[in-house]
Amino acid sequence: MKTSRLLTVLVGGVFCLAVMSLYRMLELMQGAELQEHPDTPGGQVDNDLSRLQQKIDELERLLSDNNRLVATLRDSLLQHKASWGKGGGANVSSDSAHSPADTLPGCRLANEMKDETDGVQLLDVYDLLPFDNPDGGAWKQGFEISYHGNEWDEQPLELFLVPHSHNDPGWLKTFDGYYQDQTRHILNNMLIKLSEDSRRKMIWAEISYFSKWWNDIDEQKREMVKRLVRAGQLELVTGGWVMADEANSHYFALLDQLIEGHQWIQRHLGVKPSSGWAVDPFGHSPSMAYLLKGAGLQDMVIQRVHYAVKKHFARQQTLEFHWRQSWDPSPRSDITCHMMPFYSYDVPHTCGPNPSVCCQFDFHRLPGGRVYCPWRISPQPITEQNVQERALLLLDQYRQKSRLFRSPVLLVPLGDDFRFTDSSEWDAQFSNYQKLFDYFDQHPELHIKARFGTLSDYFTTLHQRLSAAGSTLPTLRGDFFTYADRDDHYWSGYFTSRPFYKRLDRTMEATLRATEILFSLTLAEMRRFHGNGQLAADFPAREHFQRLTAGRRNLALFQHHDAVTGTARDAVVVDYGTRLLHSILNMRQVLQSSAHWLLLLDKSEYHHDQSKPFLQMDDVISAQDALPQKTPLTLSDEPRSLIIFNPTEQLRTSVISIVVDSADARVVDTQTGRPMAAQISAVWEEPSRASTESFQLDFVAELPPLSLAVYHVTKAAVGSTHRAQYTFYHHGNPLTIQSEHFQVSHPEGPEADAPLLLSNKHVQMWSSPETGLLQKLRLQSGLVRQLQVQFLWYGTTSNRDKSGAYLFLPGKEGGQLYTSSEPPLVRVSRGPVFSDITSCFRHFTHRVRLYHLDGHAGRSVEISNMVDIRSEVNRELAMKLVTDVANGNRFYSDLNSFQMQQRRTLAKLPLQANFYPMSSASFLQDSTSRVSLLSAQSQAVASLTPGELEVVLDRRLQQDDNRGLGQGVTDNKLTASLYHLLLEDRRGGAQEVGGASVEHLSLLAHLSSLSLCHPPITMVAPSNSQLPKLRPFLPLSSSMPCDLHLLNLRTLEDAQEAETPSQEVALLLHRKGFDCSSAPDTPLQCTWSAHEEVNLDDLFSPLRFRSVRQSGLTLLREDDKPESAQQQQPPRITRLQPMEITAFRVEID
């Protein structure tokens, strides 16, 4: 009690002090103004009044900062009350003083994870391997396997042959095209053929196809499906909407497509998947393993791993292992993983090491069919005459393969892309194999028991055998990038291919998340408002829920390993793009109508009109391959209402940008009536020609967490709004600049050659006057780093095999510095809200911007590129940062925006092998500094030389790279990319940790990344004076701790009524691990978790929960934690550990 009383007094004291000091400052300022100008002439008065107005604005801003400080103290007080009352843990505000040597409570010290003696760290494996490629004989990329023949005398070989059909939801044909031509026939035949013989089995992975087929079949067939699933003949594996890419996908979308699949399976079949099956993604990420384990899966299979790694694991008999998260000291996140040993998942590469033998046991390739064996020995139908010879030939392959594993249980897949389409193929495979199995059964001296099986059959038996023998599997940490399937053919091209759509993917994801959250809050608020759990009569909740479902499914479809990867045919890419665009437009409808209802002061005025929505977005996306264009707002003396939705869980200071038809405008906060700091900039129609009709208005908005804020924009008196001032540099032919509303200067002589300097109160940056490109950064703390931005071209090799959609095969010369015959036009803009430098080159426009803001938004440099390489042939454009950070050969890149992974640049590998996927972050560091590049889209990243970091922006390649696509990548677009560049001091825990150290982003980088990936959403109300009264919507009383991310608030489907929202919402919270060694000098305006216990009721106050049930990550009822069902009365204390995602099914009161 003493603590809380003391805090209450402290809060009161601070508040009184602040108010008194504000009044005193106002007095002093007015006095100073009067002393300066004792006898001011009339013209001057206006000037002085406007200066005084600015000072008052400044004071109001100070007052708002002060309110924030009080709110922070109040948060601390609440947290103290919560924790000390219950012995839980408090949040710590970053305003608490800490000496540089102190570590931040709750942060993660960089450390090296040490495992038991047979633990494997992949980084060490890469250091160890020579990456040579000797000919291994029959198993070309492996070695000769020998056995004596008596190894199975004690423990017979137990073999599971697992029939599968790999169905790409779009690749050479569209999703619908494949479904019509192949997939529906496969599933129809599956129903007939499995029902004919109870010994037959099959696995199926892609729920996108399965659900589409389910909608096409009648009730009788549905019952047959359920029977097969119950009998264990048909197993749904992984259970995701797609078999997702693991390099470019963001963890939000990876989890969302898993939820969509699992919820569908539970609803229609009443089961849940237990095994993962990922045989075609081009490299594998531990983030996916984490999500599968969190979704209740116990085991998983992977296939596309570098051939040298496979060979090493096969030699060590470590192809089966417990995959553990790099950051997890405990085995909690472990999942059993089986790595397939050979080149592919097709039949020739799955029965054993010799593909020419295995191909003879793919009975779809019997003579006379469309498919044949490239090794020129065809399969033979099994007869009584040849069964012995055939069975022994196959057994030899099984035995050789078995020697690569620690147990006598063997997994042999039987299938390939779109297999089992015709009923004849079902008959050929099942009847011929059954004859072989019968032969094995009749000859016990062969010591083999073989049968058709599913993944569950295999893993259940594996675990039984392992525990009976008292043996354990090794643990492994790390990831399986970058993948090579042969020679120097590294699959690092697809980390960037089709970057326009990689960017669209993230726009869709941010739009979906924002819509999910606002829709869930709207339904809860409606039920509260009506008091009887009813929704507003006119609100189309069911239609909106159907739009949300379609949006979830289109985003999920795009996570497929030929979609977000950029590795599908042109027409298929257009199909994906069209689906994403339609869903973005549908999400916007749900957002607009939810916001409309929430904002109305008088709810009875709500009327839903689809053709004429009350709110409009501030931009238009005209086509699936077009960038958004701002819609100019017509201003007058009548205020236009702007609605800003903050989709993040943090109070944020953001710059809102709109286009208006007047060079003077005023923005006021409707609640307080106070004017917002604003600036008018030119809309440049060409690099040196400004529009005379449209102007960019940027203003600073204070946005509470998850709030809808309302601002009024009006036309203002001429010259009353701060206008950006422009300086042009052009070291070529003289330029004519057309910009009648703006002050423009052209420096001459020595002034034209001086470095360009921009600064705010956190950062100073110097750029080259010739190119406008960044050269150096300096922090307020005094830290200075060289930080040069360069652009490079990569060509492709002169060899026969060239770069394509999948592969990156650069020329011997490596990256060549970008040069242009014509020097770029450099345009510097300076204003009170932001200042920036734009460099207009032929193939790209590059802009660096500093925001004049106090919060974390002012600490990073925003970099944006607009790239157009449609004129090029076989070229890739990269952006490189050249720094003086002494990082050696190590750098860090993120995996799926979920965790950071150490990378080591190895000289023994070709250049293309040292490129890695980057979804949203990568950094270089030494003992005193860290340079982080945060991105709003995924792309390839590398650090080929110490101090350098480069990202590939776009690739245009004229040829196919022989991986089945059958075309190059030539459908390039005008493509935008967006980054935040962050320089930070390192201290405290900054000693370099040896080995595979586990590092995290700093708290500042997490916040910066959050605002980059989830920008505020701007909507506009109509321009008439008959507008109903609007008031802001503020669902939370304070920000969440800034290491806690609200991943989603997703309305679940009603259990009784299909396609209808239920009262239950999936609440997904992710507690981020953050680094200890980089705390900014001036503290962040937020709190963070010092303890693992969190009070959910306080976190979401004043929202109230009727029920809270902790569940698995895909929210299946059977995964509900039994102890959480008991805790239905507040306070609901839950444990959130750093790095962990926690899922709850909640009902909001």
Side-chain angles (χ1 to χ4, degrees), residues 542-560:
R542 190 156 188 260
E543 289 80 353
H544 282 344
F545 186 70
Q546 286 160 2
R547 288 186 180 99
L548 268 173
T549 303
R552 294 165 180 174
R553 290 177 176 183
N554 282 332
L555 179 67
L557 187 71
F558 197 66
Q559 304 317 303
H560 163 53

Side-chain angles (χ1 to χ4, degrees), residues 805-833:
Y806 301 91
L807 306 183
F808 180 32
L809 291 164
K812 280 195 203 57
E813 68 286 352
Q816 300 295 296
L817 212 52
Y818 180 94
T819 52
S820 57
S821 50
E822 174 75 3
L825 172 75
V826 178
R827 188 174 68 228
V828 181
S829 123
R830 290 186 169 87
V833 175

Side-chain angles (χ1 to χ4, degrees), residues 351-368:
C351 91
N354 189 334
S356 70
V357 173
C358 290
C359 195
Q360 298 170 50
F361 293 90
D362 182 355
F363 298 103
H364 182 48
R365 303 183 196 235
L366 285 166

Side-chain angles (χ1 to χ4, degrees), residues 324-514:
R324 183 170 297 178
Q325 297 304 307
S326 297
W327 42 266
D328 196 346
S330 75
R332 197 176 50 225
S333 61
D334 289 9
I335 184 168
T336 305
C337 183
H338 169 103
M339 182 194 296
M340 291 164 60
F342 309 123
Y343 173 77
S344 167
Y345 53 82
D346 62 8
V347 183
H349 296 95
T350 45
C351 91
N354 189 334
S356 70
V357 173
C358 290
C359 195
Q360 298 170 50
F361 293 90
D362 182 355
F363 298 103
H364 182 48
R365 303 183 196 235
L366 285 166
R370 287 191 303 268
V371 202
Y372 64 94
C373 282
W375 296 269
R376 304 232 169 90
I377 312 172
S378 293
Q380 307 166 23
I382 303 299
T383 62
E384 284 186 10
Q385 287 69 47
N386 70 7
V387 67
Q388 180 181 0
E389 176 264 331
R390 296 276 93 190
L392 294 177
L393 182 63
L394 181 59
L395 178 60
D396 173 55
Q397 288 301 306
Y398 288 166
R399 285 176 165 182
Q400 287 189 53
K401 182 175 179 178
S402 173
R403 297 301 294 143
L404 306 179
F405 295 90
R406 295 187 180 189
S407 91
V409 191
L410 191 61
L411 171 65
V412 177
L414 175 71
D416 202 342
D417 291 6
F418 295 97
R419 279 303 188 87
F420 297 103
T421 309
D422 305 325
S423 64
S424 59
E425 182 185 350
W426 287 86
D427 295 336
Q429 301 284 29
F430 279 103
S431 61
N432 284 299
Y433 268 107
Q434 195 57 58
K435 289 173 186 169
L436 292 164
F437 294 167
D438 292 345
Y439 180 84
F440 290 146
D441 282 348
Q442 290 149 15
H443 293 81
E445 72 280 4
L446 297 177
H447 300 291
I448 176 170
K449 179 183 176 188
R451 57 190 182 277
F452 295 113
T454 61
L455 291 190
S456 289
D457 295 335
Y458 170 73
F459 281 114
T460 304
T461 311
L462 171 70
H463 291 305
Q464 283 167 355
R465 285 285 188 99
L466 286 172
S467 75
S471 57
T472 55
L473 298 176
T475 55
L476 172 138
R477 296 176 190 274
D479 72 321
F480 295 101
F481 293 112
T482 291
Y483 168 59
D485 57 348
R486 56 176 186 256
D487 309 321
D488 61 350
H489 292 194
Y490 283 84
W491 295 45
S492 45
Y494 85 94
F495 300 157
T496 301
S497 297
R498 270 56 179 258
F500 180 91
Y501 294 97
K502 285 177 163 64
R503 181 89 191 84
L504 187 63
D505 166 64
R506 297 287 279 277
T507 305
M508 170 61 195
E509 181 179 301
T511 309
L512 175 64
R513 177 184 166 277

Side-chain angles (χ1 to χ4, degrees), residues 32 36 52 63 119-120 137 193 315 321 362 509 525-526 602 659 676 714 765 847 870 966 995 1016 1041-1042 1048 1104:
E36 236 176 280
L52 187 59
L63 186 57
V120 180
K193 295 298 174 183
R315 276 206 196 283
F321 50 85
D362 182 355
E509 181 179 301
E525 193 62 21
M526 278 182 182
D602 177 358
V659 172
M676 311 309 291
T714 45
M765 54 178 257
R847 189 186 76 205
R870 286 176 286 193
C1042 52
N1048 209 346
R1104 289 209 304 274

Side-chain angles (χ1 to χ4, degrees), residues 1010-1076:
L1010 181 73
S1011 60
L1012 181 65
C1013 296
H1014 300 284
I1017 293 171
T1018 305
M1019 291 171 273
V1020 187
S1023 53
N1024 61 32
S1025 49
Q1026 314 301 274
L1027 275 191
K1029 281 243 180 306
L1030 304 181
R1031 65 147 179 232
F1033 172 63
L1034 307 163
L1036 301 183
S1037 56
S1038 60
S1039 290
M1040 292 193 187
C1042 52
D1043 57 339
L1044 203 58
H1045 175 46
L1046 174 61
L1047 185 59
N1048 209 346
L1049 198 61
R1050 183 187 208 262
T1051 296
L1052 295 170
E1053 188 179 22
D1054 190 280
Q1056 271 64 54
E1057 204 177 336
E1059 300 185 0
T1060 302
S1062 74
Q1063 299 207 6
E1064 275 196 315
V1065 177
L1067 164 62
L1068 293 153
L1069 292 173
H1070 179 202
R1071 182 166 168 203
K1072 310 235 173 180
F1074 63 93
D1075 171 57
C1076 287

